[in-house]
Amino acid sequence: KPKPIPAGQKPKVAVVGSGWAAMSIIRGIDTSLYDVTVISQRNHFLFTPLLNSSTVGTLDSRTVAEPVRRYISKQNPRVRFLEATCKDADFQGQQVICENVVEGKE
């Protein structure tokens, strides 16, 4: 296993969205090597295969959606979460331009 990198010197990873791919990355990424931030306009992960069961009353609707912050704290507590909408990505400058969903500020 590679040596952990000191804070402030790690490469930064921005995960845009909170869908299946994002949850998979959060579960598997080594935060001793990367500073990871998840950026999503929604603070929940919707488990779509269970929607049918929820609709007909077989499952409680609360079991179909998982808050992203709670999922992150269970899977990888060193990952940060920002509730924001991504407006642009500057790949040359290695920046993601976001707008805060809560306050509406960039």
Side-chain angles (χ1 to χ4, degrees):
K1 185 173 178 176
K3 284 181 151 183
I5 300 170
Q9 296 178 6
K10 300 179 195 178
K12 293 176 177 29
V13 175
V15 179
V16 179
S18 57
W20 289 96
M23 297 301 113
S24 198
I25 290 169
I26 292 166
R27 192 176 327 118
I29 198 161
D30 187 349
T31 52
S32 69
L33 301 176
Y34 302 98
D35 280 332
V36 182
T37 301
V38 176
I39 305 163
S40 178
Q41 59 187 352
R42 291 175 196 83
N43 180 30
H44 64 276
F45 169 71
L46 185 63
F47 193 69
T48 51
L50 295 179
L51 281 177
N52 293 339
S53 298
S54 176
T55 304
V56 297
T58 309
L59 281 176
D60 185 5
S61 60
R62 291 176 289 180
T63 62
V64 178
E66 172 84 14
V68 174
R69 285 183 177 99
R70 184 173 5 160
Y71 182 84
I72 289 172
S73 68
K74 285 185 207 172
Q75 294 296 323
N76 206 333
R78 288 185 254 161
V79 173
R80 289 184 314 222
F81 177 76
L82 297 176
E83 196 166 350
T85 302
C86 291
K87 297 293 186 181
D88 196 10
D90 177 4
F91 295 105
Q92 293 280 332
Q94 298 183 342
Q95 292 184 348
V96 179
I97 311 302
C98 300
E99 181 178 78
N100 186 332
V101 174
V102 179
E103 299 171 9
K105 298 178 184 174
E106 280 193 20

